[in-house]
Amino acid sequence: MILKDRPSTGAGLSAYSVILKKRGAEVTTRAMNFLTSKGSPQELPRKSGLAAVGDVPWGTHFCLSHDTRADLLETLAPYFAQGLAANEFCMWITSQSITTLEAEAALRACVPSLDAYLANGQMEIVDFDEWYMADQRFDPDRALQKVAGRLVAALDRGFDGLRISGSTFSLARDNWEAFVRYEAAIDRIVGSKRILAMCTYSLQKWSMSEIFDVIATHDFALAKEDGRWKASKSFSRERIEQGLKESEARLRATIEGVCDGIIATDESGAILSMNPAATRIFGYSLYDLVGQHIGVLSPDQSRFIRLADCAGKLEQGVGVAIHVSEGRRKDGALVPLECTVTESVNQGERLFVIVVRDLTERRQTEARMQKLRADRLDAMGGMAVALSHEIKQPLAAAAAYLGATRRLLRKSLFKPSGVEDAVAKAADQVTRAAQIIVRMRSFVTRGEPDTRPQSILELTREAYELVSGGRLTDIEVKLHIAAGADRVLADKVQIQQVLVNVMRNAIEAMSQSQERMLTVSVSEAEGRMIRTDIADTGPGLSKEIQESLFEPFQTTKATGMGVGLSISRSIIEAHHGRLWAESNRGGGAIFSFTLPSAGEN
C-alpha cells in the first residue's frame, strides 16, 4: 500500500508533551524509545486484517465509507482481531449505528477468547459521547490527549502499539468543522507514531462534499464497489457518485419490487413520492399525486391519516400501526387497507413513510371461507332434520321397552338391588335425548326456543350430573349464586346443552392440571340480564385461539368437529344473550354467557 508523504515535523505532538509531563518517571525506557521514533525502516509492516488493504506500516491512517451496519461490522471485526493477535492495544469507539454490546458480539465471533482480552485491558470498547464529548460539546483537544495517553499507556505495558477506530455517525452536524480540524491533527500524530487508525463514515448520514472534506487527511480510502472492498489513494468524486448511484439503484429496486404500497410525505402531509404498488392500489399515476395532500386518498377526501396523531408515538423510530379501514381509489371505489407509519429525518426535515397493504384479496378469501362454512352448516342442518326423524322412532321404542322393563320388575318376586332405579334413569335419559332432538330440529329450522322461567342453579347441577355421569370425580366444584340472580328465561333443554358443552370442555382442559377446580358464578348484569361464569384451572386460552374459538369447524381437539361452541353461541344469541371467553387471571379460562332475567315471579 502506497501511503502519502507527511512532513516530519512535531506538529500536533503537543498532546504527547502533556501526557509525558503528567506521567514523568513512570514511562518506561522502552515506551520512551517508541514514542520518540516511529520505527526503523527495517521493521516489518503490520497486518491490517483486511484483504483489500493488506500489510501497512505503523502510522497508517485511512478511512472507510460504508452504506450499511453490516458493511461496518464485516471490516472492523477482522481489523481488531488481527490487532489483538499481533500484541497491539486495540480501541473501538462506537456510535449510535452500532452499540458497544453489538460491537462486542461481532468481535467475539472472530475472537472467541475476547473476554480474556477485555479482562487484561488489551481491548477497549467505548461509546462516542464518552470519548469525544465534554459537556455535550465536541472537544478535539481532549480527544487528542486521550489518543496520546492510550498510546503511552499501551507502550508502557509492553504492547507493540495502538490500533484504533472511531465512528462519526453520532457526530452532530454543527460539530463537523471542528471534527475536520481534529482529523488533520490526528493525521499528523498517527503519521509519526506506532498507531494504526481507521475512521468510518456512513454514506447514509454524510454528503459527498462532507466526505471530501476529510478524505484528504487520510492515507487512502476504503469503499465497496460491485460488492467488493477496494482501497484507493485517490478517491475521486466520480467514484463516490458511482457508489451512491449503485446504492440508490438497489434501494429503488427493492422499494419498487415490494407488493405493499409505500408513500412518503412531508410533515404537512404533502405527498413526495409513491412506489408502483401504491399507484396500483389507488389507481393514480405518480404525477397525479405528487404535491397533493394525503387526504385525497380518504373516502371522504378530508383525511386519510392524521400524521400529527402519529408524531408522539414515533419518537423512537418505531413503526405505528394506524387503523385505516378504507381508502379511496381514483375511480371513487373504496379499498380495504392496513397501514403502518414510520418517521425519518432527511437534512433536518421530518418525513413520514406510510406502508399501505391492500386487503381486498384477504377480504374476498374470508368471504369465500365464510360462505363455505355457512354452506357446511346448512348441510349439517339438513342432516340434523333428517336424522331427527330417523332417530325419534328408535328412541321411542327404547323408551317403551324400558317402561315395560320397569313394569315387569315391579311384578317380579326377584328384585335385584338398584336395578329398577338404573332402568328409571336410563328411561329419563332416553326421554331427554328425544327432547334434545326435537329442540335441535326446531333450532335448525329457525324455530323460537321454548323459553320459560328456569332456575340456573338447577340447570347447572343437572348439566354437571350429565357430564360426570353421576360418578364421583376428583374435580372440586364451587357454585356462587348471587341473591335474586337464579331465575332466567330459558329453553331448559337448549341451555342445558350449552352448559354440558362448556363444562365438558372445562373438565377435559383440566385433565393434566395439578389443581382441578370448576367454579360457576351467577350474578345480575345490566339490562335485566343474568350472567353465568364458568371458570376452570386448565392451561387457558392463547390469543390466537380466542380469536377463532367460536367459528364453525375450528377445534383444538384431535377428535373434535368444531361445532359445539358455535352452536352454543347461536343458542345463547337466540335467547337474546351473549356468549364469550377470556383468560382466567389465576390460570385457566372463563366462559361467560348472559340470559334474560325471569324476575322474582
Side-chain angles (χ1 to χ4, degrees), residues 428-443 448-456 458-460 462-463 466 488-502 567-568 571-572 575 593 595:
D428 291 341
Q429 292 307 307
V430 169
T431 302
R432 181 175 177 275
Q435 291 175 340
I436 290 174
I437 290 174
V438 171
R439 295 291 202 280
M440 289 303 296
R441 178 175 180 175
S442 175
F443 175 74
E448 288 295 321
D450 182 15
T451 57
R452 299 180 184 182
Q454 304 285 349
S455 166
I456 194 69
E458 292 302 320
L459 292 177
T460 303
E462 291 176 9
L466 291 172
V488 295
L489 285 173
D491 185 311
K492 178 178 179 179
V493 175
Q494 289 187 3
I495 298 304
Q496 273 190 346
Q497 278 301 103
V498 173
L499 288 166
V500 166
N501 186 45
V502 174
I567 291 175
S568 295
I571 289 174
I572 294 297
H575 282 72
F593 63 86
L595 291 171

Side-chain angles (χ1 to χ4, degrees), residues 44-89:
L44 292 175
R46 314 299 293 184
K47 294 183 181 298
S48 69
L50 304 173
V53 176
D55 296 349
V56 292
W58 284 122
T60 300
H61 180 211
F62 65 101
C63 67
L64 175 138
S65 58
H66 63 93
D67 195 35
T68 65
R69 295 170 70 254
D71 290 343
L72 189 58
L73 289 174
E74 76 177 35
T75 52
L76 286 177
Y79 170 76
F80 283 117
Q82 184 61 54
L84 293 172
N87 192 41
E88 298 171 7
F89 175 72

Side-chain angles (χ1 to χ4, degrees), residues 84-386:
L84 293 172
N87 192 41
E88 298 171 7
F89 175 72
C90 298
M91 172 160 288
W92 187 343
I93 304 169
T94 64
S95 65
Q96 292 174 350
S97 61
I98 296 177
T99 65
T100 54
L101 291 177
E102 292 171 327
E104 186 175 316
L107 187 54
R108 183 171 281 106
C110 296
V111 185
S113 58
L114 178 63
D115 290 335
Y117 289 113
L118 292 170
N120 68 16
Q122 186 178 347
M123 182 75 215
E124 190 173 351
I125 303 175
V126 298
D127 181 72
F128 178 92
D129 290 342
E130 179 184 344
W131 181 261
Y132 287 113
M133 307 301 287
D135 298 327
Q136 299 183 341
R137 181 179 59 86
F138 177 71
D139 190 338
D141 294 333
R142 178 170 174 263
L144 287 171
Q145 289 188 17
K146 281 189 172 184
V147 172
R150 289 299 195 279
L151 177 59
V152 170
L155 297 176
D156 195 23
R157 292 182 57 195
F159 295 117
D160 289 1
L162 169 65
R163 182 175 296 223
I164 189 170
S165 177
S167 172
T168 59
F169 194 87
S170 297
L171 185 69
R173 291 190 175 274
D174 54 4
N175 288 322
W176 178 252
E177 292 184 3
F179 189 81
V180 172
R181 293 192 297 272
Y182 163 79
E183 281 282 32
I186 197 70
D187 185 60
R188 292 190 292 271
I189 291 177
V190 171
S192 62
K193 298 300 172 188
R194 302 175 70 85
I195 301 177
L196 296 181
M198 176 168 62
C199 304
T200 62
Y201 299 91
S202 171
L203 294 173
Q204 301 294 327
K205 178 166 185 176
W206 305 111
S207 66
M208 288 189 299
S209 60
E210 289 168 328
I211 293 176
F212 280 133
D213 289 340
V214 293
I215 285 181
T217 63
H218 296 80
D219 291 314
F220 59 90
L222 191 64
K224 213 168 196 180
E225 186 176 322
D226 297 327
R228 298 178 59 188
W229 289 105
K230 293 184 180 180
S232 173
K233 183 177 180 181
S234 177
F235 206 57
S236 66
R237 180 179 294 272
E238 292 78 13
R239 180 166 214 160
I240 293 179
E241 288 179 346
Q242 180 62 28
L244 290 176
K245 286 180 181 178
E246 291 177 359
S247 176
E248 289 176 0
R250 290 193 297 270
L251 180 61
R252 187 180 303 111
T254 301
I255 292 176
E256 292 183 355
V258 298
C259 298
D260 293 339
I262 300 177
I263 306 171
T265 76
D266 62 14
E267 191 172 5
S268 69
I271 297 174
L272 302 176
S273 65
M274 301 174 70
N275 71 338
T279 60
R280 288 195 300 271
I281 291 173
F282 293 101
Y284 288 91
S285 71
L286 176 61
Y287 304 103
D288 290 335
L289 289 176
V290 170
Q292 297 289 323
H293 192 270
I294 192 71
V296 301
L297 304 178
S298 169
D300 57 5
Q301 296 192 9
S302 62
R303 65 179 293 272
F304 181 62
I305 293 176
R306 291 191 184 276
L307 298 177
D309 296 343
C310 307
K313 305 175 184 178
L314 296 171
E315 291 178 356
Q316 297 180 356
V318 179
V320 176
I322 303 299
H323 179 68
V324 176
S325 57
E326 290 181 324
R328 179 181 179 275
R329 291 174 51 86
K330 184 178 181 180
D331 59 8
L334 300 182
V335 54
L337 299 175
E338 182 180 83
C339 297
T340 303
V341 180
T342 57
E343 181 185 355
S344 63
V345 178
N346 181 33
Q347 296 182 350
E349 296 182 359
R350 296 174 68 190
L351 300 178
F352 291 94
V353 179
I354 306 167
V355 179
V356 181
R357 177 164 296 176
D358 186 351
L359 301 181
T360 301
E361 186 175 348
R362 184 191 298 180
R363 294 285 189 269
Q364 291 172 348
T365 301
E366 290 173 352
R368 288 195 296 269
M369 294 301 296
Q370 191 67 29
K371 186 177 185 305
L372 286 174
R373 293 192 187 102
D375 293 343
R376 202 168 165 190
L377 283 174
D378 288 342
M380 290 186 65
M383 290 175 60
V385 173

